[in-house]
Amino acid sequence: MRYAMICTDKPGHLEVRKANRDAHVAYLRDTGAEMAGPFLDAGGEMCGSLVVIDVETRQEAETWAANDPYAKAGLFADVRIEAWNKVI
């Protein structure tokens, strides 16, 4: 099952995002994320993330999200995990 993680950065944490970006991108690659990318604010700065992974259970998605270097660095104010059905 695919799960989408919709993550919102804490205000004023752009430098935390930048400092952990290489580790986050490596984690995406190493764990086989299907698609991922940042949300952008009105000024074009990164302010959140959308990640889609394919795992068997919601618990696996929650574990994946908890082990994301961004999460470990305390970047996110909120993380939603939603089961997602790819149509196109």
Side-chain angles (χ1 to χ4, degrees):
M1 162 135 328
R2 287 184 178 89
Y3 289 88
M5 275 145 276
I6 302 104
C7 310
T8 304
D9 293 2
K10 292 176 182 172
H13 276 62
L14 181 58
E15 292 309 313
V16 172
R17 174 177 278 277
K18 289 179 179 179
N20 290 279
R21 193 169 202 296
D22 289 344
H24 169 72
V25 171
Y27 183 67
L28 293 171
R29 287 188 181 127
D30 292 346
T31 60
E34 289 198 359
M35 69 174 88
F39 292 114
L40 304 176
D41 65 16
E45 295 289 348
M46 297 177 286
C47 64
S49 298
L50 171 65
V51 178
V52 176
I53 61 171
D54 190 357
V55 293
E56 294 294 319
T57 67
R58 181 179 180 85
Q59 180 60 49
E60 288 176 273
E62 290 171 359
T63 298
W64 188 98
N67 286 310
D68 180 347
Y70 279 167
K72 288 184 173 186
L75 174 62
F76 300 130
D78 181 66
V79 176
R80 281 182 35 216
I81 299 173
E82 301 286 345
W84 184 69
N85 182 41
K86 181 179 180 181
V87 174
I88 298 175

